Amino acid sequence: MSIAQHLAVIDRLCSEDYPAEPGRSDVGTAGPGYHLAELQTSGDFWEDDSTGWEETEDQYEADRDALSQLLAERWGAPDVFSLWSVLDRSMEGEDIPEPWGVLGSHVPNVHLWQVDGRWVALGVSQWDKELPFQLVALITEIAPP
């Protein structure tokens, strides 16, 4: 998907209603109060010697930053919000509201805007060292914890 297609997905999700029940959507997952779009997904790294992993991480962060720059032209500079504390708090047993609880387990930080009563976040996801990277966009009415 191109940057223009990523923007189109974000724009569409910013104006769509949220589903009543959590589940898969045409671009990722969604549930009460949120849409989580998987904008781009890399290959996996089971046979990688770390070279491909590092290059892919750099590319996904560059793609996030390029998309973030275009959104900043619309909405102003984003806040960079670390999700490490969200992960720590959930591991200590605190009940973190979704979608933030799950997002904190695989996205270390997000570029974050508040737009028309919704939160829009961009991040780079990776569940584990061997698994693919994903460029993700979250649109939610649920404030970050």
Side-chain angles (χ1 to χ4, degrees):
M1 222 187 275
S2 70
I3 295 286
Q5 290 169 315
H6 297 334
L7 287 171
V9 168
I10 291 168
D11 288 341
R12 177 174 59 92
L13 295 178
C14 282
S15 64
E16 278 188 5
D17 291 334
Y18 301 112
E21 297 294 324
R24 292 291 300 168
S25 72
D26 65 323
V27 293
T29 59
Y34 72 92
H35 297 285
L36 182 61
E38 300 158 358
L39 299 174
Q40 184 174 301
T41 302
S42 75
D44 64 41
F45 300 95
W46 292 101
E47 304 293 326
D48 187 57
D49 66 357
S50 301
T51 307
W53 187 92
E54 291 172 2
E55 291 172 0
T56 303
E57 179 184 39
D58 290 345
Q59 183 60 55
Y60 272 67
E61 288 177 353
D63 291 348
R64 179 210 49 217
D65 293 348
L67 186 54
S68 182
Q69 184 175 1
L70 291 173
L71 293 173
E73 291 172 10
R74 296 178 178 182
W75 302 326
D79 290 323
V80 176
F81 183 74
S82 173
L83 296 175
W84 287 113
S85 67
V86 172
L87 176 60
D88 284 342
R89 289 166 36 208
S90 69
M91 292 183 73
E92 291 174 0
E94 183 177 336
D95 187 26
I96 304 293
E98 293 309 332
W100 297 104
V102 170
L103 196 67
S105 66
H106 61 98
V107 177
N109 61 62
V110 293
H111 293 198
L112 184 67
W113 296 265
Q114 189 172 18
V115 181
D116 299 328
R118 293 185 180 209
W119 295 90
V120 178
L122 292 177
V124 176
S125 164
Q126 191 186 37
W127 284 92
D128 204 356
K129 191 88 167 164
E130 296 83 14
L131 298 177
F133 283 95
Q134 287 186 313
L135 177 61
V136 297
L138 172 67
I139 294 82
T140 183
E141 62 186 14
I142 302 158

